[in-house]
Amino acid sequence: MTPKVLTVFGTRPEAIKLAPVIKEFQKTAGICSRVAVTGQHRQMLDQVLDLFKIKPDADLNIMSNNQTLFQITTRSLSGLEKLLVKEKPDLILVQGDTTTCFAAALSAFYHQIPVGHVEAGLRTDDKYNPFPEEMNRRLTTVLADLHFAPTALAKKNLISCGVPEKKIFLTGNTIVDALQSILKVIEKHAHPVLKKIPSSAKIILVETHRRENLGKPMENICDALDKLVRIFPNVHLIFSVHKNPKVRETVYRKLDKKERIFLLEPVDYPTLIYLQSKAYLILTDSGGIQEEAPSLGKPVLVMRKTTERPEGVKAGAAKLVGTDTKKIFLEAANLLKNKKAYEKMSRITNPYGDGKASKRIAEIIKFYFKKKQLFTPLQ
Ligand code: UDP
C-alpha cells in the first residue's frame, strides 16, 4: 500500500514553504499526497494556494475576526480530530512554527501518527520572542519523528535539544525552492505602484507584523520610516501591510497619505519577490523575507530584538536593528549614504539552501516508509 502523507498548514509562509514539497510529492511515485489547511490566515493563504494551484483535500476554515491563540488552537484540534479519523494518514507533515503547525503535530500525537517537521530546529532561546512561535517550534520538535533541518545550525540546535542525530536530515530551506520557481515568472507581476516611482529613486520595501512588535514597537518602526522619507528626498517607501487589524491600525494612523509612502494590501508572492528585486533596501520582521533577500542581493534590516535566522546576520546579508526609532533610522540612513557598507551587505550568497530541499524531503520520506512497517491506522 502506498503511504499516505497528509500535509497540514494554515498560513501564508507555511504555504509558500510547503508548496514545492507538495509539488514534489505529486511527482513522486511511492507517496500518496493529501493536503489539509486550517485556514488560520484566510486571504493570504488562498493567494498562495491559487498561485501554486494547490487544491486542499480538506479545509477546516477556522479563521475568525481578531482570533485568539486559544481559538486557533482549539478549532484546529477539533477539526483535525475528525479529519485524521477519516483520512488515516501514515505521516503528518507540518512546517515551521505557527499555531497550526503545533496543533497539527499534537493531533498527530493523539492519534499516534508519525510527524515530519519541515524547517525544524530554528531557535531564539527566548520563550516569548517570537511569541508564540518559539514555543510552537519547540513543542513541535518534541512531537516530531523526522526533523528536516534547513541549516547546519538548526541541526545543531536539535541535537542540543536531545533529538537523536539519525532523525535529523539537513535539507536546506524549501523557501529557496519556492523562490527559484517563482523567479521565472516575476516579470509578469510588476506592481502598478512602480509607475508612480521614478527609476532613479531608492525604494525601501517594508513588511512587519510580528505579534511582539504590535503596539509601541510598531509605532517606533513607523516613526523611523516616516523620518527616513522626510530626510531622504530620493527615498520611496513601499509597505505591504499585513491583514492583522492591529498592524493596520498603527500603520495607517502613522503613515497613510504621506508623500512617497505607498501602503499596499498584501501582494501575491511573485509580486512581493518582484518588489524585493526592485528594492534598494528591505526592512522587515518577517522570517521568510530574511531568507529571500540574500538570494536577491538585497540588504535586510531585521526590526526585532532577536532572530532565529542568525545565518544571514553572520554571513553579513542582514543586520539585527531592534525596534528603537533612532537605531532603525541610523542603520537605514547609513546604507543609503555609505556605498561601501551597502555593497558589503548586498554581495552575499544565500546561506539558507540550494533549491533542492523539497526533493530531499520527498526522498527521505520514501526511504522512511521502506525501512519501516506502515503505521497501523486507528481502528
Ligand atoms: N509575502 C508575500 N506577500 C506580501 C508579504 C510577504 O507573498 O505582501 C511573502 C514573503 O515573500 C515571504 C512570506 O510571505 O515568503 C513571509 O510570510 P510572513 O512574513 O507572513 O511570515 P514569516 O515568514 O515571518 O513567518
Side-chain angles (χ1 to χ4, degrees), residues 12-13 16-17 41 44 47-48 97 175 207 209-210 240-242 265-270 272-273 276 284-289 291-292 309:
R12 174 176 68 190
I16 291 171
K17 290 175 173 178
H41 290 165
M44 295 190 297
Q47 266 185 350
V48 186
D97 53 21
I175 192 128
E207 206 283 336
H209 64 277
R210 298 228 83 83
S240 160
V241 189
H242 199 272
E265 287 303 305
V267 294
D268 66 20
Y269 185 52
L272 202 275
I273 299 298
Q276 285 191 56
T284 193
D285 63 10
S286 156
I289 295 175
E291 292 157 344
E292 288 156 351
R309 293 167 173 89

PDB file of all heavy atoms in Angstrom, residues 12-13 16-17 41 44 47-48 97 175 207 209-210 240-242 265-270 272-273 276 284-289 291-292 309, ligand 1:
ATOM      1  N   ARG A  12       0.198  31.913   5.230  1.00  0.00           N
ATOM      2  CA  ARG A  12       0.964  32.215   4.012  1.00  0.00           C
ATOM      3  C   ARG A  12       2.384  31.645   4.026  1.00  0.00           C
ATOM      4  O   ARG A  12       2.764  30.955   3.065  1.00  0.00           O
ATOM      5  CB  ARG A  12       1.004  33.736   3.824  1.00  0.00           C
ATOM      6  CG  ARG A  12       1.891  34.195   2.687  1.00  0.00           C
ATOM      7  CD  ARG A  12       1.812  35.700   2.505  1.00  0.00           C
ATOM      8  NE  ARG A  12       2.388  36.427   3.609  1.00  0.00           N
ATOM      9  CZ  ARG A  12       2.280  37.732   3.793  1.00  0.00           C
ATOM     10  NH1 ARG A  12       1.597  38.474   2.955  1.00  0.00           N
ATOM     11  NH2 ARG A  12       2.835  38.333   4.826  1.00  0.00           N
ATOM     12  N   PRO A  13       3.193  31.915   5.086  1.00  0.00           N
ATOM     13  CA  PRO A  13       4.572  31.407   4.997  1.00  0.00           C
ATOM     14  C   PRO A  13       4.644  29.880   4.921  1.00  0.00           C
ATOM     15  O   PRO A  13       5.500  29.337   4.213  1.00  0.00           O
ATOM     16  CB  PRO A  13       5.244  31.938   6.272  1.00  0.00           C
ATOM     17  CG  PRO A  13       4.137  32.350   7.173  1.00  0.00           C
ATOM     18  CD  PRO A  13       2.991  32.746   6.287  1.00  0.00           C
ATOM     19  N   ILE A  16       3.843  28.891   1.334  1.00  0.00           N
ATOM     20  CA  ILE A  16       4.949  29.161   0.395  1.00  0.00           C
ATOM     21  C   ILE A  16       6.036  28.097   0.550  1.00  0.00           C
ATOM     22  O   ILE A  16       6.567  27.576  -0.433  1.00  0.00           O
ATOM     23  CB  ILE A  16       5.520  30.584   0.623  1.00  0.00           C
ATOM     24  CG1 ILE A  16       4.485  31.630   0.196  1.00  0.00           C
ATOM     25  CG2 ILE A  16       6.848  30.783  -0.106  1.00  0.00           C
ATOM     26  CD1 ILE A  16       4.828  33.068   0.564  1.00  0.00           C
ATOM     27  N   LYS A  17       6.326  27.747   1.790  1.00  0.00           N
ATOM     28  CA  LYS A  17       7.438  26.815   2.026  1.00  0.00           C
ATOM     29  C   LYS A  17       7.036  25.348   1.822  1.00  0.00           C
ATOM     30  O   LYS A  17       7.903  24.496   1.661  1.00  0.00           O
ATOM     31  CB  LYS A  17       8.003  27.039   3.435  1.00  0.00           C
ATOM     32  CG  LYS A  17       8.743  28.372   3.538  1.00  0.00           C
ATOM     33  CD  LYS A  17       9.188  28.669   4.942  1.00  0.00           C
ATOM     34  CE  LYS A  17      10.065  29.915   4.980  1.00  0.00           C
ATOM     35  NZ  LYS A  17      10.490  30.271   6.328  1.00  0.00           N
ATOM     36  N   HIS A  41      -4.867  31.798   8.470  1.00  0.00           N
ATOM     37  CA  HIS A  41      -4.986  33.053   7.702  1.00  0.00           C
ATOM     38  C   HIS A  41      -5.829  32.708   6.490  1.00  0.00           C
ATOM     39  O   HIS A  41      -5.522  31.729   5.815  1.00  0.00           O
ATOM     40  CB  HIS A  41      -3.635  33.533   7.160  1.00  0.00           C
ATOM     41  CG  HIS A  41      -2.700  34.029   8.204  1.00  0.00           C
ATOM     42  ND1 HIS A  41      -1.363  34.215   7.948  1.00  0.00           N
ATOM     43  CD2 HIS A  41      -2.904  34.376   9.495  1.00  0.00           C
ATOM     44  CE1 HIS A  41      -0.773  34.674   9.041  1.00  0.00           C
ATOM     45  NE2 HIS A  41      -1.680  34.778   9.993  1.00  0.00           N
ATOM     46  N   MET A  44      -4.554  35.523   2.775  1.00  0.00           N
ATOM     47  CA  MET A  44      -3.139  35.420   2.419  1.00  0.00           C
ATOM     48  C   MET A  44      -2.756  33.974   2.107  1.00  0.00           C
ATOM     49  O   MET A  44      -1.880  33.714   1.302  1.00  0.00           O
ATOM     50  CB  MET A  44      -2.280  36.004   3.537  1.00  0.00           C
ATOM     51  CG  MET A  44      -2.502  37.504   3.702  1.00  0.00           C
ATOM     52  SD  MET A  44      -1.329  38.313   4.795  1.00  0.00           S
ATOM     53  CE  MET A  44      -1.662  37.508   6.326  1.00  0.00           C
ATOM     54  N   GLN A  47      -4.223  33.155  -1.510  1.00  0.00           N
ATOM     55  CA  GLN A  47      -3.366  33.731  -2.569  1.00  0.00           C
ATOM     56  C   GLN A  47      -2.299  32.722  -2.985  1.00  0.00           C
ATOM     57  O   GLN A  47      -2.037  32.523  -4.160  1.00  0.00           O
ATOM     58  CB  GLN A  47      -2.624  34.963  -2.015  1.00  0.00           C
ATOM     59  CG  GLN A  47      -3.282  36.285  -2.264  1.00  0.00           C
ATOM     60  CD  GLN A  47      -2.388  37.446  -1.784  1.00  0.00           C
ATOM     61  OE1 GLN A  47      -1.382  37.268  -1.110  1.00  0.00           O
ATOM     62  NE2 GLN A  47      -2.788  38.654  -2.147  1.00  0.00           N
ATOM     63  N   VAL A  48      -1.690  32.065  -1.990  1.00  0.00           N
ATOM     64  CA  VAL A  48      -0.588  31.140  -2.293  1.00  0.00           C
ATOM     65  C   VAL A  48      -1.130  29.832  -2.889  1.00  0.00           C
ATOM     66  O   VAL A  48      -0.554  29.275  -3.822  1.00  0.00           O
ATOM     67  CB  VAL A  48       0.265  30.854  -1.028  1.00  0.00           C
ATOM     68  CG1 VAL A  48       1.481  30.009  -1.393  1.00  0.00           C
ATOM     69  CG2 VAL A  48       0.696  32.143  -0.365  1.00  0.00           C
ATOM     70  N   ASP A  97       6.588  27.081  12.557  1.00  0.00           N
ATOM     71  CA  ASP A  97       6.374  27.450  13.954  1.00  0.00           C
ATOM     72  C   ASP A  97       5.024  28.104  14.228  1.00  0.00           C
ATOM     73  O   ASP A  97       4.855  28.822  15.207  1.00  0.00           O
ATOM     74  CB  ASP A  97       7.485  28.404  14.395  1.00  0.00           C
ATOM     75  CG  ASP A  97       7.617  29.599  13.456  1.00  0.00           C
ATOM     76  OD1 ASP A  97       6.644  29.895  12.735  1.00  0.00           O
ATOM     77  OD2 ASP A  97       8.678  30.242  13.458  1.00  0.00           O
ATOM     78  N   ILE A 175      12.214  27.401   1.178  1.00  0.00           N
ATOM     79  CA  ILE A 175      11.891  28.734   0.633  1.00  0.00           C
ATOM     80  C   ILE A 175      12.756  29.019  -0.594  1.00  0.00           C
ATOM     81  O   ILE A 175      12.328  29.718  -1.515  1.00  0.00           O
ATOM     82  CB  ILE A 175      12.060  29.860   1.678  1.00  0.00           C
ATOM     83  CG1 ILE A 175      11.430  31.155   1.146  1.00  0.00           C
ATOM     84  CG2 ILE A 175      13.506  30.151   2.004  1.00  0.00           C
ATOM     85  CD1 ILE A 175      10.475  31.811   2.023  1.00  0.00           C
ATOM     86  N   GLU A 207       7.940  45.158   5.422  1.00  0.00           N
ATOM     87  CA  GLU A 207       6.877  44.221   5.817  1.00  0.00           C
ATOM     88  C   GLU A 207       7.146  43.883   7.272  1.00  0.00           C
ATOM     89  O   GLU A 207       8.223  43.412   7.624  1.00  0.00           O
ATOM     90  CB  GLU A 207       6.916  42.951   4.963  1.00  0.00           C
ATOM     91  CG  GLU A 207       5.557  42.248   4.853  1.00  0.00           C
ATOM     92  CD  GLU A 207       5.130  41.447   6.079  1.00  0.00           C
ATOM     93  OE1 GLU A 207       6.008  41.028   6.860  1.00  0.00           O
ATOM     94  OE2 GLU A 207       3.932  41.234   6.273  1.00  0.00           O
ATOM     95  N   HIS A 209       5.016  42.491  10.972  1.00  0.00           N
ATOM     96  CA  HIS A 209       3.740  42.010  11.501  1.00  0.00           C
ATOM     97  C   HIS A 209       3.854  41.197  12.783  1.00  0.00           C
ATOM     98  O   HIS A 209       2.850  40.750  13.308  1.00  0.00           O
ATOM     99  CB  HIS A 209       3.085  41.107  10.449  1.00  0.00           C
ATOM    100  CG  HIS A 209       3.878  39.870  10.184  1.00  0.00           C
ATOM    101  ND1 HIS A 209       4.931  39.843   9.321  1.00  0.00           N
ATOM    102  CD2 HIS A 209       3.800  38.638  10.727  1.00  0.00           C
ATOM    103  CE1 HIS A 209       5.460  38.630   9.312  1.00  0.00           C
ATOM    104  NE2 HIS A 209       4.801  37.876  10.169  1.00  0.00           N
ATOM    105  N   ARG A 210       5.052  40.942  13.267  1.00  0.00           N
ATOM    106  CA  ARG A 210       5.198  40.002  14.387  1.00  0.00           C
ATOM    107  C   ARG A 210       4.418  40.473  15.600  1.00  0.00           C
ATOM    108  O   ARG A 210       4.383  41.655  15.925  1.00  0.00           O
ATOM    109  CB  ARG A 210       6.676  39.861  14.802  1.00  0.00           C
ATOM    110  CG  ARG A 210       7.585  39.325  13.739  1.00  0.00           C
ATOM    111  CD  ARG A 210       8.460  38.226  14.283  1.00  0.00           C
ATOM    112  NE  ARG A 210       7.716  37.011  14.244  1.00  0.00           N
ATOM    113  CZ  ARG A 210       7.606  36.252  13.143  1.00  0.00           C
ATOM    114  NH1 ARG A 210       8.209  36.576  12.031  1.00  0.00           N
ATOM    115  NH2 ARG A 210       6.893  35.158  13.183  1.00  0.00           N
ATOM    116  N   SER A 240       4.067  46.625   2.458  1.00  0.00           N
ATOM    117  CA  SER A 240       2.999  45.630   2.327  1.00  0.00           C
ATOM    118  C   SER A 240       2.391  45.433   3.715  1.00  0.00           C
ATOM    119  O   SER A 240       3.036  44.883   4.607  1.00  0.00           O
ATOM    120  CB  SER A 240       3.580  44.307   1.811  1.00  0.00           C
ATOM    121  OG  SER A 240       2.689  43.256   2.129  1.00  0.00           O
ATOM    122  N   VAL A 241       1.164  45.921   3.883  1.00  0.00           N
ATOM    123  CA  VAL A 241       0.578  45.954   5.234  1.00  0.00           C
ATOM    124  C   VAL A 241      -0.198  44.658   5.493  1.00  0.00           C
ATOM    125  O   VAL A 241      -1.160  44.344   4.781  1.00  0.00           O
ATOM    126  CB  VAL A 241      -0.343  47.184   5.412  1.00  0.00           C
ATOM    127  CG1 VAL A 241      -0.755  47.305   6.873  1.00  0.00           C
ATOM    128  CG2 VAL A 241       0.342  48.461   4.933  1.00  0.00           C
ATOM    129  N   HIS A 242       0.243  43.948   6.492  1.00  0.00           N
ATOM    130  CA  HIS A 242      -0.339  42.654   6.883  1.00  0.00           C
ATOM    131  C   HIS A 242      -1.823  42.806   7.200  1.00  0.00           C
ATOM    132  O   HIS A 242      -2.284  43.887   7.571  1.00  0.00           O
ATOM    133  CB  HIS A 242       0.414  42.167   8.130  1.00  0.00           C
ATOM    134  CG  HIS A 242       0.290  40.709   8.428  1.00  0.00           C
ATOM    135  ND1 HIS A 242      -0.723  40.195   9.182  1.00  0.00           N
ATOM    136  CD2 HIS A 242       1.073  39.660   8.073  1.00  0.00           C
ATOM    137  CE1 HIS A 242      -0.563  38.886   9.285  1.00  0.00           C
ATOM    138  NE2 HIS A 242       0.521  38.528   8.621  1.00  0.00           N
ATOM    139  N   GLU A 265      -1.984  46.609   0.103  1.00  0.00           N
ATOM    140  CA  GLU A 265      -2.559  45.376   0.645  1.00  0.00           C
ATOM    141  C   GLU A 265      -1.524  44.277   0.407  1.00  0.00           C
ATOM    142  O   GLU A 265      -0.714  44.394  -0.521  1.00  0.00           O
ATOM    143  CB  GLU A 265      -3.845  45.027  -0.118  1.00  0.00           C
ATOM    144  CG  GLU A 265      -5.012  45.927   0.213  1.00  0.00           C
ATOM    145  CD  GLU A 265      -5.318  45.930   1.701  1.00  0.00           C
ATOM    146  OE1 GLU A 265      -5.523  44.850   2.274  1.00  0.00           O
ATOM    147  OE2 GLU A 265      -5.335  47.022   2.288  1.00  0.00           O
ATOM    148  N   PRO A 266      -1.533  43.194   1.217  1.00  0.00           N
ATOM    149  CA  PRO A 266      -0.572  42.118   0.949  1.00  0.00           C
ATOM    150  C   PRO A 266      -0.647  41.706  -0.527  1.00  0.00           C
ATOM    151  O   PRO A 266      -1.738  41.510  -1.062  1.00  0.00           O
ATOM    152  CB  PRO A 266      -1.051  40.979   1.848  1.00  0.00           C
ATOM    153  CG  PRO A 266      -1.764  41.664   2.962  1.00  0.00           C
ATOM    154  CD  PRO A 266      -2.407  42.877   2.354  1.00  0.00           C
ATOM    155  N   VAL A 267       0.507  41.641  -1.154  1.00  0.00           N
ATOM    156  CA  VAL A 267       0.532  41.320  -2.589  1.00  0.00           C
ATOM    157  C   VAL A 267       0.813  39.836  -2.766  1.00  0.00           C
ATOM    158  O   VAL A 267       1.274  39.172  -1.839  1.00  0.00           O
ATOM    159  CB  VAL A 267       1.608  42.164  -3.319  1.00  0.00           C
ATOM    160  CG1 VAL A 267       1.247  43.632  -3.288  1.00  0.00           C
ATOM    161  CG2 VAL A 267       3.000  41.937  -2.736  1.00  0.00           C
ATOM    162  N   ASP A 268       0.533  39.323  -3.966  1.00  0.00           N
ATOM    163  CA  ASP A 268       0.788  37.895  -4.145  1.00  0.00           C
ATOM    164  C   ASP A 268       2.306  37.644  -4.142  1.00  0.00           C
ATOM    165  O   ASP A 268       3.107  38.579  -4.246  1.00  0.00           O
ATOM    166  CB  ASP A 268       0.089  37.344  -5.390  1.00  0.00           C
ATOM    167  CG  ASP A 268       0.627  37.919  -6.680  1.00  0.00           C
ATOM    168  OD1 ASP A 268       1.762  38.442  -6.682  1.00  0.00           O
ATOM    169  OD2 ASP A 268      -0.086  37.846  -7.693  1.00  0.00           O
ATOM    170  N   TYR A 269       2.661  36.394  -3.989  1.00  0.00           N
ATOM    171  CA  TYR A 269       4.066  36.055  -3.754  1.00  0.00           C
ATOM    172  C   TYR A 269       5.004  36.541  -4.876  1.00  0.00           C
ATOM    173  O   TYR A 269       6.017  37.189  -4.590  1.00  0.00           O
ATOM    174  CB  TYR A 269       4.178  34.544  -3.503  1.00  0.00           C
ATOM    175  CG  TYR A 269       5.562  34.083  -3.140  1.00  0.00           C
ATOM    176  CD1 TYR A 269       6.267  34.694  -2.118  1.00  0.00           C
ATOM    177  CD2 TYR A 269       6.170  33.039  -3.818  1.00  0.00           C
ATOM    178  CE1 TYR A 269       7.546  34.285  -1.774  1.00  0.00           C
ATOM    179  CE2 TYR A 269       7.444  32.608  -3.485  1.00  0.00           C
ATOM    180  CZ  TYR A 269       8.129  33.247  -2.467  1.00  0.00           C
ATOM    181  OH  TYR A 269       9.398  32.836  -2.141  1.00  0.00           O
ATOM    182  N   PRO A 270       4.690  36.276  -6.159  1.00  0.00           N
ATOM    183  CA  PRO A 270       5.615  36.744  -7.200  1.00  0.00           C
ATOM    184  C   PRO A 270       5.763  38.265  -7.203  1.00  0.00           C
ATOM    185  O   PRO A 270       6.842  38.785  -7.468  1.00  0.00           O
ATOM    186  CB  PRO A 270       4.964  36.276  -8.512  1.00  0.00           C
ATOM    187  CG  PRO A 270       3.915  35.313  -8.136  1.00  0.00           C
ATOM    188  CD  PRO A 270       3.553  35.520  -6.712  1.00  0.00           C
ATOM    189  N   LEU A 272       5.582  40.192  -4.559  1.00  0.00           N
ATOM    190  CA  LEU A 272       6.466  40.563  -3.444  1.00  0.00           C
ATOM    191  C   LEU A 272       7.924  40.305  -3.810  1.00  0.00           C
ATOM    192  O   LEU A 272       8.810  41.108  -3.505  1.00  0.00           O
ATOM    193  CB  LEU A 272       6.061  39.780  -2.185  1.00  0.00           C
ATOM    194  CG  LEU A 272       6.458  40.335  -0.814  1.00  0.00           C
ATOM    195  CD1 LEU A 272       7.848  39.950  -0.379  1.00  0.00           C
ATOM    196  CD2 LEU A 272       6.273  41.846  -0.692  1.00  0.00           C
ATOM    197  N   ILE A 273       8.160  39.210  -4.524  1.00  0.00           N
ATOM    198  CA  ILE A 273       9.546  38.924  -4.949  1.00  0.00           C
ATOM    199  C   ILE A 273       9.993  39.982  -5.969  1.00  0.00           C
ATOM    200  O   ILE A 273      11.131  40.463  -5.925  1.00  0.00           O
ATOM    201  CB  ILE A 273       9.669  37.498  -5.552  1.00  0.00           C
ATOM    202  CG1 ILE A 273       9.275  36.441  -4.503  1.00  0.00           C
ATOM    203  CG2 ILE A 273      11.079  37.225  -6.076  1.00  0.00           C
ATOM    204  CD1 ILE A 273      10.136  36.415  -3.267  1.00  0.00           C
ATOM    205  N   GLN A 276      10.833  43.024  -4.063  1.00  0.00           N
ATOM    206  CA  GLN A 276      12.141  42.849  -3.391  1.00  0.00           C
ATOM    207  C   GLN A 276      13.266  43.062  -4.397  1.00  0.00           C
ATOM    208  O   GLN A 276      14.280  43.686  -4.096  1.00  0.00           O
ATOM    209  CB  GLN A 276      12.274  41.443  -2.803  1.00  0.00           C
ATOM    210  CG  GLN A 276      11.469  41.217  -1.535  1.00  0.00           C
ATOM    211  CD  GLN A 276      11.839  39.891  -0.854  1.00  0.00           C
ATOM    212  OE1 GLN A 276      12.988  39.643  -0.532  1.00  0.00           O
ATOM    213  NE2 GLN A 276      10.856  39.044  -0.624  1.00  0.00           N
ATOM    214  N   THR A 284      12.329  44.619   7.682  1.00  0.00           N
ATOM    215  CA  THR A 284      11.276  43.637   7.959  1.00  0.00           C
ATOM    216  C   THR A 284      11.439  42.995   9.327  1.00  0.00           C
ATOM    217  O   THR A 284      12.506  43.086   9.945  1.00  0.00           O
ATOM    218  CB  THR A 284      11.290  42.536   6.862  1.00  0.00           C
ATOM    219  OG1 THR A 284      10.111  41.771   6.956  1.00  0.00           O
ATOM    220  CG2 THR A 284      12.498  41.627   6.970  1.00  0.00           C
ATOM    221  N   ASP A 285      10.355  42.358   9.772  1.00  0.00           N
ATOM    222  CA  ASP A 285      10.482  41.421  10.892  1.00  0.00           C
ATOM    223  C   ASP A 285      10.066  40.021  10.420  1.00  0.00           C
ATOM    224  O   ASP A 285       9.935  39.094  11.209  1.00  0.00           O
ATOM    225  CB  ASP A 285       9.671  41.871  12.122  1.00  0.00           C
ATOM    226  CG  ASP A 285       8.178  41.933  11.881  1.00  0.00           C
ATOM    227  OD1 ASP A 285       7.703  41.451  10.829  1.00  0.00           O
ATOM    228  OD2 ASP A 285       7.469  42.470  12.756  1.00  0.00           O
ATOM    229  N   SER A 286       9.833  39.872   9.115  1.00  0.00           N
ATOM    230  CA  SER A 286       9.381  38.594   8.553  1.00  0.00           C
ATOM    231  C   SER A 286      10.534  37.592   8.463  1.00  0.00           C
ATOM    232  O   SER A 286      11.655  37.943   8.087  1.00  0.00           O
ATOM    233  CB  SER A 286       8.814  38.852   7.148  1.00  0.00           C
ATOM    234  OG  SER A 286       8.877  37.685   6.365  1.00  0.00           O
ATOM    235  N   GLY A 287      10.215  36.340   8.786  1.00  0.00           N
ATOM    236  CA  GLY A 287      11.228  35.296   8.683  1.00  0.00           C
ATOM    237  C   GLY A 287      11.544  34.987   7.232  1.00  0.00           C
ATOM    238  O   GLY A 287      12.705  34.954   6.820  1.00  0.00           O
ATOM    239  N   GLY A 288      10.494  34.777   6.431  1.00  0.00           N
ATOM    240  CA  GLY A 288      10.685  34.391   5.035  1.00  0.00           C
ATOM    241  C   GLY A 288      11.462  35.445   4.249  1.00  0.00           C
ATOM    242  O   GLY A 288      12.346  35.105   3.452  1.00  0.00           O
ATOM    243  N   ILE A 289      11.147  36.701   4.487  1.00  0.00           N
ATOM    244  CA  ILE A 289      11.833  37.763   3.722  1.00  0.00           C
ATOM    245  C   ILE A 289      13.319  37.811   4.089  1.00  0.00           C
ATOM    246  O   ILE A 289      14.170  38.013   3.219  1.00  0.00           O
ATOM    247  CB  ILE A 289      11.110  39.120   3.910  1.00  0.00           C
ATOM    248  CG1 ILE A 289       9.701  39.018   3.291  1.00  0.00           C
ATOM    249  CG2 ILE A 289      11.905  40.264   3.277  1.00  0.00           C
ATOM    250  CD1 ILE A 289       8.822  40.232   3.496  1.00  0.00           C
ATOM    251  N   GLU A 291      15.046  35.339   4.588  1.00  0.00           N
ATOM    252  CA  GLU A 291      15.680  34.240   3.847  1.00  0.00           C
ATOM    253  C   GLU A 291      15.737  34.514   2.351  1.00  0.00           C
ATOM    254  O   GLU A 291      16.634  34.034   1.654  1.00  0.00           O
ATOM    255  CB  GLU A 291      14.905  32.941   4.098  1.00  0.00           C
ATOM    256  CG  GLU A 291      15.037  32.459   5.525  1.00  0.00           C
ATOM    257  CD  GLU A 291      13.886  31.551   5.968  1.00  0.00           C
ATOM    258  OE1 GLU A 291      12.831  31.511   5.305  1.00  0.00           O
ATOM    259  OE2 GLU A 291      14.038  30.905   7.000  1.00  0.00           O
ATOM    260  N   GLU A 292      14.767  35.286   1.857  1.00  0.00           N
ATOM    261  CA  GLU A 292      14.709  35.547   0.417  1.00  0.00           C
ATOM    262  C   GLU A 292      15.690  36.645  -0.025  1.00  0.00           C
ATOM    263  O   GLU A 292      16.326  36.526  -1.080  1.00  0.00           O
ATOM    264  CB  GLU A 292      13.284  35.975   0.025  1.00  0.00           C
ATOM    265  CG  GLU A 292      12.305  34.833   0.065  1.00  0.00           C
ATOM    266  CD  GLU A 292      10.860  35.264   0.263  1.00  0.00           C
ATOM    267  OE1 GLU A 292      10.605  36.452   0.545  1.00  0.00           O
ATOM    268  OE2 GLU A 292       9.978  34.421   0.151  1.00  0.00           O
ATOM    269  N   ARG A 309      17.199  33.302  12.763  1.00  0.00           N
ATOM    270  CA  ARG A 309      17.908  33.111  11.488  1.00  0.00           C
ATOM    271  C   ARG A 309      19.221  33.891  11.515  1.00  0.00           C
ATOM    272  O   ARG A 309      19.430  34.818  10.724  1.00  0.00           O
ATOM    273  CB  ARG A 309      17.013  33.579  10.327  1.00  0.00           C
ATOM    274  CG  ARG A 309      15.799  32.675  10.166  1.00  0.00           C
ATOM    275  CD  ARG A 309      14.762  33.262   9.259  1.00  0.00           C
ATOM    276  NE  ARG A 309      13.693  32.312   8.996  1.00  0.00           N
ATOM    277  CZ  ARG A 309      12.591  32.186   9.749  1.00  0.00           C
ATOM    278  NH1 ARG A 309      12.412  32.961  10.801  1.00  0.00           N
ATOM    279  NH2 ARG A 309      11.675  31.284   9.441  1.00  0.00           N
TER     280      ARG A 309
HETATM  281  N1  UDP B   1       4.932  37.743   1.306  1.00  0.00           N
HETATM  282  C1  UDP B   1       4.005  37.805   0.252  1.00  0.00           C
HETATM  283  N2  UDP B   1       3.277  38.960   0.087  1.00  0.00           N
HETATM  284  C2  UDP B   1       3.405  40.031   0.933  1.00  0.00           C
HETATM  285  C3  UDP B   1       4.323  39.950   2.001  1.00  0.00           C
HETATM  286  C4  UDP B   1       5.058  38.788   2.169  1.00  0.00           C
HETATM  287  O1  UDP B   1       3.862  36.866  -0.510  1.00  0.00           O
HETATM  288  O2  UDP B   1       2.699  41.020   0.716  1.00  0.00           O
HETATM  289  C5  UDP B   1       5.734  36.518   1.468  1.00  0.00           C
HETATM  290  C6  UDP B   1       7.216  36.732   1.633  1.00  0.00           C
HETATM  291  O3  UDP B   1       7.872  36.836   0.390  1.00  0.00           O
HETATM  292  C7  UDP B   1       7.640  35.509   2.420  1.00  0.00           C
HETATM  293  C8  UDP B   1       6.415  35.159   3.222  1.00  0.00           C
HETATM  294  O4  UDP B   1       5.333  35.901   2.667  1.00  0.00           O
HETATM  295  O5  UDP B   1       7.925  34.410   1.580  1.00  0.00           O
HETATM  296  C9  UDP B   1       6.626  35.519   4.643  1.00  0.00           C
HETATM  297  O6  UDP B   1       5.450  35.395   5.343  1.00  0.00           O
HETATM  298  P1  UDP B   1       5.240  36.166   6.722  1.00  0.00           P
HETATM  299  O7  UDP B   1       6.111  37.365   6.732  1.00  0.00           O
HETATM  300  O8  UDP B   1       3.761  36.335   6.856  1.00  0.00           O
HETATM  301  O9  UDP B   1       5.669  35.121   7.823  1.00  0.00           O
HETATM  302  P2  UDP B   1       7.072  34.728   8.457  1.00  0.00           P
HETATM  303  O10 UDP B   1       7.995  34.357   7.359  1.00  0.00           O
HETATM  304  O11 UDP B   1       7.552  35.876   9.270  1.00  0.00           O
HETATM  305  O12 UDP B   1       6.732  33.553   9.306  1.00  0.00           O
END
